[in-house]
Amino acid sequence: MQKAEKKTFEESMQRLEEIVSLLETNEQSLDETVKLFEEGLTLVKDCDASLKNFENKVNELTENDGGEQA
């Protein structure tokens, strides 16, 4: 079984928007709704982790003045 390719932050956010739209229509079966909800939760966790990594990187760069002077 292959591991799914990790999506970029932007791709994850786009997919989350799609999921929200689908869930708002309330036209899916209960099984499909649960699958979409689970996928959405996974994407939210991935996005949160990405944002924390971005924040840590920015903090690191600003503390070190970017490592070089312009």
Side-chain angles (χ1 to χ4, degrees):
M1 187 167 149
Q2 281 187 329
K3 198 174 188 180
E5 207 174 294
K6 184 150 172 68
K7 296 178 188 238
T8 65
F9 179 81
E10 292 79 8
E11 290 169 335
S12 294
M13 288 299 296
Q14 182 177 0
R15 179 61 181 149
L16 271 171
E17 290 174 8
E18 292 170 4
I19 290 171
V20 168
S21 292
L22 288 168
L23 291 175
E24 286 178 339
T25 64
N26 203 26
E27 294 177 0
Q28 287 72 36
S29 67
L30 183 57
D31 287 339
E32 184 63 22
T33 298
V34 170
K35 287 177 187 175
L36 288 168
F37 188 77
E38 287 176 324
E39 181 184 355
L41 286 177
T42 299
L43 290 168
V44 166
K45 290 176 186 177
D46 289 346
C47 287
D48 184 55
S50 292
L51 287 173
K52 287 178 182 171
N53 287 335
F54 296 146
E55 181 180 19
N56 289 338
K57 183 67 174 177
V58 168
N59 288 338
E60 181 182 307
L61 291 170
T62 57
E63 287 174 5
N64 296 330
D65 285 334
E68 295 180 19
Q69 295 293 325

